[in-house]
Every structure is written in C-alpha cells, then in structure tokens.
C-alpha cells in the first residue's frame, strides 16, 4: 500500500531562534520512499542537515523574527501489516537494562515530563506491566486526542 504523508506547521517567532527540526522519515525507511519528504521552509533560509545518535535526520536553522512555515508532502510504501504482537513481553526493571538503552529513558526537554508522567500513571498504573500496559497506552492514543489537548503548551514560539 502507499501512504501519503505530510504536514504544514506555521510558527511566529518574536526573536531570532535557533531550531533543530526532526520531521523527516527515518533513514531506515529510505528504500520505501516513493516521493521524497523534502522540507519546504518559507521564507527560504539556509539550513544544515545531520544525523543524530539515533540516525534521525535533523535540520538545523535559525528562524527569523516573524512567521515561519515548514511543510512537506511525500509518499511512502508500506506493507499495511500491523506491528508484531508479543503478549508475553514483560516489563524489565531499569537495573536489568543494558547500559546503551538508558538514554531512551531520559525525560524530554520539549515537554513537561513530570505532568505527563502523572497523567500516564493516573490512567495506566492499574494495568498489568509489560505487553498489556503497552497495548492499553496504544489503544488510548489511537482512540483519543486528550493528551494533545489537555497539556498546556510551553512558553516560547507556538504553532499557529
């Protein structure tokens, strides 16, 4: 199957602001891209691209004062098959995890992780750890947009 992907994000900046965007398809899916996901930036600005430690494509630029629009429109091939199911998957204690996985447990500086953690535990602490908890979270995300609308935005530039 083919999936059209894309977006348009509009920002208004009150000061020149360094920005790192991670909005491209992960390179691991490069062979599946039919129409590339080239970022369009208006107004046109110089930018650089690099891969971070997780091989995400990052686009670095300095946003000028005023409006900035970032968009893309692409087409990707996908089998359409659901993700693998592993009902016996268990939740490991942090002390059991390999050292190189610990970076994935760090909080984000782009959202209020403490507030999101409180929300998550209030909704999912009573579910069985492991696969059942992951499935409950996925089911919740797919059935509602509550998290996207209930958490106030952080100060700074805001999408318009």
């Amino acid at each position: 199957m083919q999936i059209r992907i894309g977006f348009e994000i509009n920002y208004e900046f009150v000061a020149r602001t360094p920005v790192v965007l991670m909005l491209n398809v992960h390179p691991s899916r490069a062979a599946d891209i039919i129409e590339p996901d080239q970022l369009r930036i208006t107004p046109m600005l110089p930018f650089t691209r690099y891969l971070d430690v997780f091989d995400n494509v990052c686009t670095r630029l300095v946003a000028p004062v005023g409006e900035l629009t970032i968009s893309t429109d692409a087409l990707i091939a996908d089998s359409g098959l659901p993700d693998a199911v592993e009902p016996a998957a268990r939740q490991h204690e942090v002390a059991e995890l390999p050292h190189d996985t610990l970076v994935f447990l760090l909080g984000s500086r782009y959202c209020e992780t403490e507030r999101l953690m409180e929300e998550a535990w209030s909704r999912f602490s009573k579910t069985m750890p492991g696969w059942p908890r992951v499935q409950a979270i996925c089911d919740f995300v797919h059935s509602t947009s509550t998290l996207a609308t209930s958490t106030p935005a952080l100060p700074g530039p805001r999408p318009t």
Side-chain angles (χ1 to χ4, degrees), residues 1-4 29 32-34 75-82:
M1 89 172 26
Q2 295 180 354
I3 301 172
R4 176 139 319 267
R29 297 295 304 266
D32 300 323
I33 296 175
I34 299 166
L75 191 63
I76 190 164
D78 189 81
S79 70
L81 297 173

Side-chain angles (χ1 to χ4, degrees), residues 32-152:
D32 300 323
I33 296 175
I34 299 166
E35 294 175 13
D37 62 334
Q38 300 287 330
L39 292 184
R40 293 184 297 278
I41 301 168
T42 307
M44 288 179 42
L45 301 170
F47 62 86
T48 57
R49 294 178 79 181
Y50 65 94
L51 296 178
D52 69 7
V53 296
F54 305 108
D55 287 333
N56 294 305
V57 178
C58 302
T59 303
R60 184 176 177 181
L61 58 89
V62 177
V65 173
E67 290 186 16
L68 178 69
T69 300
I70 305 157
S71 63
T72 193
D73 182 38
L75 191 63
I76 190 164
D78 189 81
S79 70
L81 297 173
D83 291 338
V85 173
E86 187 55 59
R90 70 179 186 91
Q91 179 176 319
H92 292 267
E93 295 295 324
V94 172
E96 298 175 39
L97 299 175
H99 299 304
D100 59 347
T101 65
L102 299 180
V103 68
F104 295 100
L105 302 179
L106 298 174
S108 171
R109 55 191 178 154
Y110 300 109
C111 65
E112 298 178 78
T113 53
E114 294 81 12
R115 291 187 68 190
L116 290 174
M117 184 171 49
E118 290 171 16
E119 177 79 16
W121 278 118
S122 73
R123 290 184 184 276
F124 305 111
S125 64
K126 292 179 176 59
T127 60
M128 293 292 298
W131 188 268
R133 182 170 290 157
V134 171
Q135 189 62 59
I137 294 167
C138 290
D139 292 346
F140 173 77
V141 170
H142 290 150
S143 68
T144 183
S145 62
T146 302
L147 287 178
T149 59
S150 68
T151 305

